[in-house]
Amino acid sequence: MTTTKTPCRSMTEQAADAAIYQACRSLRLPTMRSCFPEHADAAERNQLSYRGFPAELLMAECDDRDARRTVRRIKDAGFPRSKSLADFDYDANPNINPATIHTLSTCCWIRAGQPLCLIGDPGTGKSHLLIGLGTAAAEAGFRVRYTLASKLVNELVEAADDRQLTKTIARYGRVDLLCIDELGYMELDRRGAELLFQVLTEREEKNSVAIASNEAFSGWTKTFTDPRLCAAIVDRLTFDGTILETGTESYRLAHTRNRHTTT
């Protein structure tokens, strides 16, 4: 049996560039397609080896894909606004230990499926930290979902009425981190509380829940009027978790004062 060798084809640089452009389109390599000419010129100047040049191109493609995935995860999380942990003013709220936030930003608690509770008065930085930690988790590759407690309960009630509850609970159960903001701002009827409890049970010891509440746990009976159900929900949200108390002094007011002082 004989094999036929394909003769080497010589190309002009213009033809080679066109072939590479078309191949990158077919293979869906947009970064390589756009940066190839620049990298080719740099490789020639720096005398990169045949191995070094494609390695540079492939690394650029991988880095860009990672960046696009991160942007997509942050967008899919549904954060109402952009908040970064780097922008948090610890001087404005001395109740928050920077070392604790740094440890949480490593996402070890999410890998372990542990809960996080941010408890404090309105304006003490709870939502900033909740969104900031959620964003850090999305940047680390975790699937994150942010929602207001009232919005989540309303969605669950509508899903139950439409016989889509199992599907909805499963969807909330799949994300690595569920961030629930403004828990405690409104009283929930028994049905709404029970539906929320089902979501928490679905995630228990498997995937993390982070909540922000303006009420201490002792005041949660205002939100969850059934004492036994309230105790069960508190248990789900605190077992083997982290509780951060953000205090009573307005973070926003102190942050504004600090900013005006330094300008």
Side-chain angles (χ1 to χ4, degrees), residues 222-240:
K222 301 174 189 175
T223 301
F224 307 103
T225 53
D226 183 323
R228 295 180 64 184
L229 185 58
C230 179
I233 288 174
V234 171
D235 180 69
R236 293 289 190 278
L237 291 173
T238 57
F239 177 71
D240 203 23

Side-chain angles (χ1 to χ4, degrees), residues 256-263:
T256 302
R257 286 173 178 166
N258 287 349
R259 192 175 60 218
H260 287 315
T261 301
T262 55
T263 56

Side-chain angles (χ1 to χ4, degrees), residues 92-95 121-125 246-254 257:
N93 190 343
N95 294 293
D121 282 5
T124 54
T246 57
T248 58
E249 297 294 326
S250 174
Y251 164 83
R252 296 190 188 100
L253 180 58
R257 286 173 178 166

Side-chain angles (χ1 to χ4, degrees), residues 1-262:
M1 181 177 179
T2 59
T3 58
T4 303
K5 293 184 178 180
T6 302
C8 295
R9 293 176 293 177
S10 60
M11 289 187 182
T12 64
E13 288 191 359
Q14 184 177 6
D17 285 349
I20 291 168
Y21 182 88
Q22 186 58 46
C24 287
R25 285 196 62 180
S26 298
L27 295 171
R28 297 181 181 178
L29 302 171
T31 304
M32 288 181 63
R33 185 177 73 239
S34 62
C35 73
F36 173 79
E38 178 185 348
H39 277 257
D41 293 340
E44 188 174 4
R45 287 194 307 271
N46 298 325
Q47 296 183 329
L48 280 182
S49 68
Y50 289 117
R51 289 184 176 87
F53 174 49
E56 291 282 349
L57 279 175
L58 290 169
M59 288 170 61
E61 183 70 43
C62 290
D63 290 344
D64 191 57
R65 287 191 179 192
D66 286 343
R68 292 199 302 272
R69 289 192 191 100
T70 297
V71 171
R72 186 164 58 249
R73 282 193 299 270
I74 293 174
K75 181 180 178 181
D76 291 344
F79 298 120
R81 52 199 170 275
S82 177
K83 292 291 183 182
S84 168
L85 293 178
D87 295 332
F88 190 82
D89 186 353
Y90 295 98
D91 293 331
N93 190 343
N95 294 293
I96 304 301
N97 186 339
T100 301
I101 301 302
H102 175 73
T103 299
L104 290 170
S105 71
T106 64
C107 301
C108 290
W109 60 286
I110 301 175
R111 294 185 184 91
Q114 296 169 339
L116 168 67
C117 296
L118 299 164
I119 309 293
D121 282 5
T124 54
K126 301 185 303 297
S127 292
H128 187 141
L129 292 171
L130 185 67
I131 295 172
L133 288 168
T135 301
E139 291 173 343
F142 293 99
R143 295 167 298 175
V144 181
R145 179 65 182 171
Y146 170 96
T147 184
L148 298 177
S150 57
K151 183 178 179 182
L152 173 58
V153 170
N154 288 338
E155 184 179 351
L156 292 170
V157 170
E158 290 177 4
D161 291 341
D162 295 337
R163 298 184 179 180
Q164 297 291 318
L165 182 60
T166 300
K167 185 177 180 180
T168 302
I169 290 177
R171 174 159 49 83
Y172 277 104
R174 282 193 297 268
V175 295
D176 300 306
L177 172 62
L178 176 60
C179 300
I180 305 176
D181 206 352
E182 297 187 3
L183 185 63
Y185 277 79
M186 61 177 289
E187 179 182 319
L188 300 178
D189 61 22
R190 184 177 179 84
R191 186 189 187 202
E194 288 176 346
L195 292 173
L196 178 59
F197 180 71
Q198 288 186 49
V199 171
L200 299 179
T201 300
E202 176 74 16
R203 301 182 59 80
E204 186 182 14
E205 297 187 42
K206 295 186 295 184
N207 294 318
S208 292
V209 176
I211 65 101
S213 176
N214 66 314
E215 283 282 357
F217 295 121
S218 59
W220 279 26
T221 50
K222 301 174 189 175
T223 301
F224 307 103
T225 53
D226 183 323
R228 295 180 64 184
L229 185 58
C230 179
I233 288 174
V234 171
D235 180 69
R236 293 289 190 278
L237 291 173
T238 57
F239 177 71
D240 203 23
T242 301
I243 301 171
L244 293 182
E245 296 183 356
T246 57
T248 58
E249 297 294 326
S250 174
Y251 164 83
R252 296 190 188 100
L253 180 58
H255 177 65
T256 302
R257 286 173 178 166
N258 287 349
R259 192 175 60 218
H260 287 315
T261 301
T262 55

